[in-house]
Amino acid sequence: MASSSIRKASRSAGASTVSAKSCRVKTNFAGDTPSLYHNLGGGSFEDTTFQGGLGKHTQYLGWGCGFFDMDNDGWADILICNGHVYPEVEQLKTEAAYPQRKLLYKNLRNGRFDDVSYDAGLGISAPVAARGCAFGDFDNDGDLDVVVNTVNDSPQLLRCDSTTGNNWIKIKTIGTKSNRSGIGARIKCITHLPGEKALHPQIDEVRSGGGYFSQNDLRVHFGIGKAEKVELLEIRWPSGVVETLRDIKPNQLISSKKARASCAA
Protein backbone atom coordinates (compact mmCIF):
# COMPACT_ATOMS: atom_id res chain seq x y z
CA MET A 1 0.00 0.00 0.00
CA ALA A 2 1.47 3.34 -0.98
CA SER A 3 0.34 6.67 0.38
CA SER A 4 2.38 8.70 -2.08
CA SER A 5 5.24 8.44 -4.51
CA ILE A 6 7.64 9.45 -1.72
CA ARG A 7 7.30 6.50 0.63
CA LYS A 8 5.23 3.51 1.55
CA ALA A 9 2.61 3.83 4.24
CA SER A 10 3.10 2.30 7.65
CA ARG A 11 0.45 -0.15 8.73
CA SER A 12 -0.31 -2.30 11.71
CA ALA A 13 -2.67 -5.12 12.54
CA GLY A 14 -4.56 -5.87 15.71
CA ALA A 15 -7.79 -7.14 17.17
CA SER A 16 -9.62 -3.97 18.20
CA THR A 17 -13.28 -4.97 18.24
CA VAL A 18 -15.48 -7.49 19.96
CA SER A 19 -15.28 -9.77 16.94
CA ALA A 20 -11.55 -10.21 17.69
CA LYS A 21 -10.87 -10.29 13.95
CA SER A 22 -7.64 -8.68 12.83
CA CYS A 23 -8.19 -5.04 11.86
CA ARG A 24 -5.78 -2.67 10.13
CA VAL A 25 -4.67 0.91 10.77
CA LYS A 26 -2.58 2.75 8.17
CA THR A 27 -0.94 6.17 8.01
CA ASN A 28 -1.00 8.48 4.99
CA PHE A 29 0.56 11.68 3.67
CA ALA A 30 -0.43 15.17 4.85
CA GLY A 31 -3.81 16.27 3.50
CA ASP A 32 -5.34 12.87 4.18
CA THR A 33 -6.62 11.07 7.26
CA PRO A 34 -5.19 7.83 8.66
CA SER A 35 -7.07 4.76 7.50
CA LEU A 36 -8.88 2.25 9.71
CA TYR A 37 -10.11 -0.99 8.19
CA HIS A 38 -12.50 -3.40 9.91
CA ASN A 39 -12.19 -7.07 9.03
CA LEU A 40 -15.52 -8.42 7.75
CA GLY A 41 -14.14 -11.93 7.30
CA GLY A 42 -13.72 -13.86 4.07
CA GLY A 43 -10.82 -11.64 2.99
CA SER A 44 -12.97 -8.48 2.95
CA PHE A 45 -12.34 -5.24 4.83
CA GLU A 46 -14.53 -2.17 5.35
CA ASP A 47 -13.10 1.36 5.60
CA THR A 48 -14.35 2.63 8.97
CA THR A 49 -12.02 5.62 9.33
CA PHE A 50 -14.75 8.20 9.90
CA GLN A 51 -17.17 5.91 11.73
CA GLY A 52 -14.29 4.90 14.00
CA GLY A 53 -13.31 8.48 14.91
CA LEU A 54 -10.00 8.67 13.02
CA GLY A 55 -11.20 11.12 10.37
CA LYS A 56 -10.75 14.37 12.32
CA HIS A 57 -7.16 15.22 11.33
CA THR A 58 -5.81 15.80 7.84
CA GLN A 59 -2.90 18.10 8.74
CA TYR A 60 -0.55 15.38 9.96
CA LEU A 61 1.88 13.25 7.94
CA GLY A 62 1.84 9.81 9.52
CA TRP A 63 4.60 7.22 9.88
CA GLY A 64 4.80 4.48 12.50
CA CYS A 65 1.52 3.31 14.02
CA GLY A 66 0.07 0.41 15.89
CA PHE A 67 -2.61 -1.16 18.04
CA PHE A 68 -1.66 -1.56 21.72
CA ASP A 69 -3.67 -1.90 24.90
CA MET A 70 -2.36 1.12 26.83
CA ASP A 71 -4.51 0.52 29.94
CA ASN A 72 -4.79 -3.31 29.85
CA ASP A 73 -8.59 -3.18 29.69
CA GLY A 74 -8.73 -5.84 26.97
CA TRP A 75 -9.48 -3.40 24.12
CA ALA A 76 -6.69 -2.35 21.76
CA ASP A 77 -5.98 1.39 21.47
CA ILE A 78 -4.10 3.16 18.65
CA LEU A 79 -0.92 5.27 18.53
CA ILE A 80 0.13 7.18 15.39
CA CYS A 81 3.49 8.97 15.05
CA ASN A 82 3.70 12.02 12.78
CA GLY A 83 6.23 14.41 11.25
CA HIS A 84 6.63 16.13 7.88
CA VAL A 85 9.28 15.17 5.31
CA TYR A 86 10.21 18.75 4.35
CA PRO A 87 11.82 21.05 6.99
CA GLU A 88 11.08 23.93 4.60
CA VAL A 89 7.37 23.50 5.30
CA GLU A 90 7.92 25.75 8.34
CA GLN A 91 8.31 28.69 5.92
CA LEU A 92 4.85 28.18 4.48
CA LYS A 93 1.60 29.45 5.95
CA THR A 94 -0.06 26.07 6.11
CA GLU A 95 -1.54 24.03 8.91
CA ALA A 96 1.24 21.42 8.66
CA ALA A 97 4.54 21.85 10.56
CA TYR A 98 7.72 19.79 10.33
CA PRO A 99 7.57 18.51 13.93
CA GLN A 100 4.11 17.20 14.74
CA ARG A 101 2.39 15.70 17.75
CA LYS A 102 1.47 12.07 18.00
CA LEU A 103 -2.11 10.86 17.96
CA LEU A 104 -3.33 8.57 20.74
CA TYR A 105 -6.79 7.04 20.38
CA LYS A 106 -8.58 5.21 23.19
CA ASN A 107 -10.85 2.32 22.27
CA LEU A 108 -14.43 3.11 23.32
CA ARG A 109 -15.46 -0.56 22.97
CA ASN A 110 -18.15 0.21 20.38
CA GLY A 111 -16.12 0.38 17.18
CA ARG A 112 -15.12 4.00 17.85
CA PHE A 113 -11.95 5.64 19.18
CA ASP A 114 -11.51 8.88 21.12
CA ASP A 115 -8.53 11.22 20.65
CA VAL A 116 -6.93 11.42 24.12
CA SER A 117 -3.57 12.76 22.94
CA TYR A 118 -3.61 15.81 25.21
CA ASP A 119 -4.41 13.67 28.26
CA ALA A 120 -1.32 11.49 27.91
CA GLY A 121 1.51 13.93 28.70
CA LEU A 122 4.23 15.67 26.71
CA GLY A 123 5.58 12.38 25.37
CA ILE A 124 2.51 12.30 23.13
CA SER A 125 1.50 15.95 22.72
CA ALA A 126 4.91 17.62 22.24
CA PRO A 127 5.72 18.02 18.50
CA VAL A 128 8.69 16.05 17.11
CA ALA A 129 9.68 14.83 13.67
CA ALA A 130 8.77 11.24 14.50
CA ARG A 131 9.19 8.26 12.21
CA GLY A 132 8.99 4.64 13.40
CA CYS A 133 7.55 3.31 16.66
CA ALA A 134 7.90 -0.07 18.35
CA PHE A 135 5.78 -1.50 21.17
CA GLY A 136 6.91 -3.71 24.04
CA ASP A 137 7.09 -3.99 27.81
CA PHE A 138 10.72 -2.91 28.15
CA ASP A 139 10.70 -2.75 31.98
CA ASN A 140 8.61 -5.93 32.41
CA ASP A 141 6.07 -4.30 34.70
CA GLY A 142 3.01 -5.54 32.81
CA ASP A 143 2.12 -2.57 30.62
CA LEU A 144 3.21 -1.72 27.10
CA ASP A 145 5.84 0.95 26.45
CA VAL A 146 6.79 2.62 23.17
CA VAL A 147 10.09 3.50 21.50
CA VAL A 148 9.97 6.22 18.83
CA ASN A 149 12.77 7.16 16.45
CA THR A 150 12.99 10.77 15.29
CA VAL A 151 14.83 12.77 12.63
CA ASN A 152 17.94 14.67 13.81
CA ASP A 153 16.95 14.19 17.42
CA SER A 154 17.26 11.68 20.24
CA PRO A 155 15.02 8.58 20.20
CA GLN A 156 12.14 8.63 22.63
CA LEU A 157 11.25 5.98 25.20
CA LEU A 158 7.64 6.45 26.29
CA ARG A 159 7.24 4.46 29.48
CA CYS A 160 3.71 3.58 30.51
CA ASP A 161 3.15 3.30 34.25
CA SER A 162 -0.49 2.26 34.43
CA THR A 163 -2.36 2.69 37.71
CA THR A 164 -5.60 1.03 36.58
CA GLY A 165 -4.90 -2.23 38.40
CA ASN A 166 -5.96 -4.17 35.31
CA ASN A 167 -4.52 -7.61 34.71
CA TRP A 168 -2.49 -8.93 31.78
CA ILE A 169 -0.91 -12.02 30.29
CA LYS A 170 2.19 -12.23 28.10
CA ILE A 171 3.28 -15.11 25.84
CA LYS A 172 6.76 -15.90 24.53
CA THR A 173 6.88 -18.50 21.77
CA ILE A 174 9.97 -20.69 21.27
CA GLY A 175 9.75 -22.81 18.13
CA THR A 176 11.32 -26.22 17.52
CA LYS A 177 9.53 -27.58 14.45
CA SER A 178 8.47 -24.00 13.71
CA ASN A 179 11.02 -21.18 13.44
CA ARG A 180 12.94 -20.41 16.64
CA SER A 181 10.99 -17.21 17.47
CA GLY A 182 7.61 -18.69 16.61
CA ILE A 183 7.01 -15.96 14.04
CA GLY A 184 3.65 -16.57 12.39
CA ALA A 185 2.07 -18.16 15.45
CA ARG A 186 -1.50 -16.94 16.03
CA ILE A 187 -2.60 -16.65 19.64
CA LYS A 188 -6.18 -16.45 20.90
CA CYS A 189 -6.85 -15.25 24.45
CA ILE A 190 -10.35 -15.72 25.89
CA THR A 191 -11.40 -14.19 29.20
CA HIS A 192 -14.59 -13.36 31.05
CA LEU A 193 -14.60 -9.68 31.96
CA PRO A 194 -16.70 -8.71 35.01
CA GLY A 195 -19.97 -7.12 33.94
CA GLU A 196 -19.98 -8.76 30.51
CA LYS A 197 -22.24 -11.72 29.77
CA ALA A 198 -20.29 -13.03 26.79
CA LEU A 199 -16.72 -14.26 26.78
CA HIS A 200 -14.16 -11.72 25.57
CA PRO A 201 -11.90 -13.03 22.76
CA GLN A 202 -8.69 -11.37 21.57
CA ILE A 203 -6.36 -12.47 18.77
CA ASP A 204 -2.79 -11.47 17.99
CA GLU A 205 0.18 -12.90 16.10
CA VAL A 206 3.93 -13.13 16.56
CA ARG A 207 5.13 -10.86 13.76
CA SER A 208 8.47 -10.05 12.19
CA GLY A 209 8.44 -6.28 11.90
CA GLY A 210 5.88 -3.95 13.38
CA GLY A 211 5.72 -0.76 11.34
CA TYR A 212 7.94 1.77 9.60
CA PHE A 213 11.59 0.77 10.34
CA SER A 214 10.45 -0.87 13.58
CA GLN A 215 10.34 -4.24 15.31
CA ASN A 216 7.91 -4.82 18.15
CA ASP A 217 8.56 -7.06 21.14
CA LEU A 218 8.11 -10.65 19.96
CA ARG A 219 6.31 -11.47 23.20
CA VAL A 220 2.55 -11.19 22.64
CA HIS A 221 0.79 -9.08 25.29
CA PHE A 222 -2.91 -9.13 26.18
CA GLY A 223 -4.59 -6.81 28.66
CA ILE A 224 -7.45 -8.68 30.35
CA GLY A 225 -9.05 -5.99 32.53
CA LYS A 226 -10.35 -7.23 35.87
CA ALA A 227 -10.60 -10.84 34.70
CA GLU A 228 -9.25 -13.15 37.40
CA LYS A 229 -7.92 -15.72 34.93
CA VAL A 230 -7.50 -16.53 31.26
CA GLU A 231 -10.21 -19.05 30.40
CA LEU A 232 -8.47 -20.28 27.25
CA LEU A 233 -5.15 -19.58 25.56
CA GLU A 234 -4.80 -21.17 22.12
CA ILE A 235 -1.54 -21.06 20.16
CA ARG A 236 -1.61 -22.06 16.50
CA TRP A 237 1.97 -22.70 15.47
CA PRO A 238 3.21 -22.27 11.86
CA SER A 239 3.96 -26.02 11.84
CA GLY A 240 0.23 -26.72 12.26
CA VAL A 241 0.43 -27.76 15.92
CA VAL A 242 -2.37 -26.28 18.05
CA GLU A 243 -1.59 -25.83 21.73
CA THR A 244 -4.34 -25.18 24.29
CA LEU A 245 -3.92 -23.93 27.85
CA ARG A 246 -6.78 -23.32 30.27
CA ASP A 247 -7.44 -21.49 33.55
CA ILE A 248 -4.22 -19.46 33.56
CA LYS A 249 -3.46 -17.05 36.38
CA PRO A 250 -2.95 -13.44 35.21
CA ASN A 251 0.06 -11.13 35.43
CA GLN A 252 2.73 -13.57 34.27
CA LEU A 253 4.82 -14.48 31.27
CA ILE A 254 3.97 -17.82 29.65
CA SER A 255 6.92 -19.35 27.80
CA SER A 256 5.65 -21.86 25.26
CA LYS A 257 7.99 -24.27 23.48
CA LYS A 258 6.15 -25.93 20.61
CA ALA A 259 3.57 -28.12 22.37
CA ARG A 260 4.98 -27.75 25.87
CA ALA A 261 4.43 -24.78 28.15
CA SER A 262 6.14 -23.52 31.25
CA CYS A 263 5.41 -20.46 33.35
CA ALA A 264 7.96 -17.80 34.21
CA ALA A 265 7.51 -14.83 36.51
Side-chain angles (χ1 to χ4, degrees):
M1 291 184 290
S3 61
S4 70
S5 59
I6 295 177
R7 62 178 180 84
K8 291 185 178 180
S10 178
R11 56 193 182 273
S12 180
S16 65
T17 64
V18 71
S19 66
K21 294 177 180 177
S22 182
C23 299
R24 297 289 188 273
V25 62
K26 181 175 74 71
T27 56
N28 295 302
F29 205 79
D32 199 356
T33 67
S35 299
L36 178 66
Y37 300 105
H38 175 61
N39 192 345
L40 300 177
S44 297
F45 287 80
E46 178 184 12
D47 188 331
T48 59
T49 303
F50 287 90
Q51 301 96 308
L54 271 65
K56 298 178 180 178
H57 301 291
T58 60
Q59 70 271 40
Y60 300 120
L61 195 162
W63 297 86
C65 62
F67 287 99
F68 78 119
D69 191 349
M70 64 180 175
D71 52 4
N72 281 338
D73 66 348
W75 297 80
D77 311 293
I78 296 173
L79 177 69
I80 297 175
C81 293
N82 302 300
H84 212 281
V85 294
Y86 304 124
E88 299 80 8
V89 75
E90 298 284 352
Q91 304 172 16
L92 304 177
K93 294 182 179 179
T94 67
E95 60 179 349
Y98 182 67
Q100 299 175 359
R101 73 176 176 95
K102 304 174 187 68
L103 294 171
L104 181 63
Y105 291 97
K106 179 175 175 55
N107 195 323
L108 299 180
R109 310 183 185 189
N110 58 4
R112 292 187 55 80
F113 294 82
D114 184 33
D115 184 353
V116 296
S117 307
Y118 287 115
D119 299 328
L122 292 177
I124 301 296
S125 61
V128 295
R131 291 300 185 259
C133 64
F135 302 88
D137 184 6
F138 95 97
D139 52 359
N140 293 314
D141 64 348
D143 45 41
L144 288 173
D145 312 295
V146 188
V147 175
V148 179
N149 57 39
T150 62
V151 177
N152 295 326
D153 204 346
S154 301
Q156 295 181 316
L157 175 57
L158 308 180
R159 192 180 74 181
C160 177
D161 289 322
S162 176
T163 59
T164 62
N166 288 332
N167 297 321
W168 53 273
I169 196 76
K170 193 157 37 183
I171 303 96
K172 179 180 180 180
T173 53
I174 304 171
T176 52
K177 290 185 177 179
S178 299
N179 62 84
R180 178 66 176 173
S181 297
I183 292 171
R186 171 166 286 202
I187 304 175
K188 178 186 291 186
C189 174
I190 298 180
T191 55
H192 185 260
L193 299 180
E196 295 187 11
K197 294 182 179 180
L199 292 175
H200 184 77
Q202 300 181 69
I203 295 176
D204 206 347
E205 296 177 355
V206 182
R207 298 186 182 89
S208 174
Y212 183 81
F213 282 168
S214 302
Q215 170 63 60
N216 294 334
D217 191 343
L218 289 176
R219 300 174 300 177
V220 174
H221 180 106
F222 294 104
I224 60 172
K226 301 299 183 183
E228 297 180 353
K229 64 178 180 179
V230 175
E231 306 284 342
L232 173 68
L233 193 66
E234 181 186 88
I235 305 173
R236 290 185 173 270
W237 292 86
S239 63
V241 172
V242 178
E243 180 181 347
T244 301
L245 305 172
R246 297 182 184 273
D247 299 329
I248 304 170
K249 294 180 179 180
N251 304 327
Q252 64 171 320
L253 170 67
I254 301 294
S255 294
S256 178
K257 189 172 183 180
K258 198 178 66 174
R260 300 192 302 273
S262 62
C263 297

